[in-house]
Structure formats: structure tokens, C-alpha cells
Amino acid sequence: MIKKIGTIGLIFLLGLILFYFIGKEEVPSSLKISKIRGKMHLQGIELLAGNSGKLKWKLKAKQADYVGKEIILKNIVFEYMLDKHIFVYSDEGKIIDNNSLILLYPRVKIKMSDVILFCDKFIYDKNKKKIFMNDNFEMKKDNYFKVISNKALFDIKSNSFYILKNVKSIWWLENENNM
């Protein structure tokens, strides 16, 4: 009887330990460039980040080349998952300086439900907690409006969005055929 209780207790204890460590396991939030040596070429990469078993973002690229202190990406799809899913699409990009700067180009598309943003250069500065959308910025919401400018800025700390430099907006009526 004592051996049965001891065996069951041991199995229970091992289960608890496994549950604790698996449950606490966190996916690394960034790739450490400083730990990579030499040149490297990868096909079809996928980076994931999250904690407590909940995925926060996912980055896929058809190709990644590590050169110097940069990772050069091709055909990028970045998915950010919180309350809303945000998708960022880009033909090319770079992860620079130990992940503190991410640069995407040309003609980047950002999709958030019914709002779509475009820009020629997308810069995420991790240290400043800002996203810069430069050159030919455009924001569309279904068939309701379009805003065009040279620059836009999203300040992550204050959760503020700014449209800057030569701003022009275009609004459509619900049914243009009634005009």
C-alpha cells in the first residue's frame, strides 16, 4: 500500500514539475544576431514570440540572409496578434543592430480589419518605441475615405498615431451613383 502511494505520488510530482516548466516556457521574443557567426542563408523561416502559451506575433519570410550585423529578409509576412490581428506585408526588409531596428521596403502593406495602410518605407525602432511610415503614406478605409501624406508615425508608448507632412484626405459618399 505504501509503495502504491509512493509511486502515485512520484508520478503526480513529476507531472506537476513538467506542467510547471512547460507552462512557464516562453518563446524567445527576438533572434539574437550577436550569437550568429559568419554568413548564413535560410529558406522559409518562421519566428514566433509570446508568453504563457499565448502567441503575440509571427514573422514569416521566404528567405533570410545573415550578413554582418544585418538579417536581410525577402517576401515577409508579419502577423501581430492581440485584440485585433494586424498583418504587415513587404517584399524586402532588414533586421539591424541586434533587433533594435527593423526596416521594411518597398511598398509595404499593413492590414487591420477594414483599414489598409501603405508606405514605401516602414521603420520599427525598438529603442524609441516608434513606428515610422515614410514616403508615399496612404491609409484607406473600405470605400469611405483615403488619407495621403509623406509620413506617418505611431508612438507605441503613448498609443498615438500621427499623419504628417502634406496631408490630403479624400472622402466618398455612401453611394457615388446618387451624385
Side-chain angles (χ1 to χ4, degrees):
M1 179 75 164
I2 294 175
K3 284 186 180 181
K4 281 187 180 179
I5 293 172
T7 305
I8 292 170
L10 182 61
I11 292 170
F12 179 75
L13 182 62
L14 284 173
L16 266 175
I17 291 169
L18 285 173
F19 177 77
Y20 178 78
F21 283 108
I22 291 171
K24 290 285 187 178
E25 186 176 312
E26 291 188 12
V27 179
S29 63
S30 61
L31 184 64
K32 298 290 183 195
I33 294 175
S34 60
K35 292 186 179 183
I36 300 173
R37 300 282 182 241
K39 293 182 181 180
M40 183 170 48
H41 175 79
L42 300 170
Q43 293 287 328
I45 69 160
E46 185 173 276
L47 301 174
L48 308 170
N51 56 21
S52 302
K54 186 172 182 181
L55 194 59
K56 286 187 178 179
W57 61 261
K58 176 172 29 175
L59 180 130
K60 288 183 180 181
K62 287 192 178 176
Q63 180 179 321
D65 292 297
Y66 170 70
V67 181
K69 291 189 174 189
E70 297 180 345
I71 297 176
I72 300 163
L73 303 168
K74 303 279 185 191
N75 298 324
I76 305 152
V77 178
F78 177 79
E79 184 179 356
Y80 185 72
M81 299 163 265
L82 277 183
D83 297 335
K84 294 181 181 181
H85 281 260
I86 299 171
F87 294 91
V88 180
Y89 304 95
S90 179
D91 288 337
E92 295 181 44
K94 292 180 184 181
I95 301 173
I96 306 167
D97 195 27
N98 290 329
N99 300 335
S100 62
L101 197 66
I102 296 174
L103 171 66
L104 302 177
Y105 52 87
R107 206 59 184 153
V108 180
K109 178 180 177 182
I110 302 134
K111 189 169 184 331
M112 305 173 292
S113 48
D114 59 349
V115 176
I116 299 174
L117 308 173
F118 296 96
C119 65
D120 287 343
K121 191 184 292 180
F122 176 97
I123 303 165
Y124 168 63
D125 189 325
K126 182 178 176 181
N127 296 332
K128 293 181 181 177
K129 303 266 188 230
K130 293 184 181 191
I131 297 172
F132 302 91
M133 289 159 272
N134 298 338
D135 305 331
N136 299 315
F137 173 79
E138 190 176 305
M139 178 172 65
K140 294 180 181 180
K141 180 172 173 34
D142 290 335
N143 289 327
Y144 298 110
F145 72 87
K146 175 165 63 171
V147 177
I148 302 167
S149 82
N150 289 351
K151 273 186 181 186
L153 165 69
F154 180 66
D155 188 330
I156 297 168
K157 280 190 242 174
S158 66
N159 198 25
S160 302
F161 188 76
Y162 304 93
I163 300 174
L164 312 163
K165 282 200 170 181
N166 302 325
V167 180
K168 178 182 173 185
S169 66
I170 302 165
W171 293 79
W172 294 284
L173 299 173
E174 283 186 40
N175 188 348
E176 291 181 10
N177 296 329
N178 290 336
M179 294 176 70

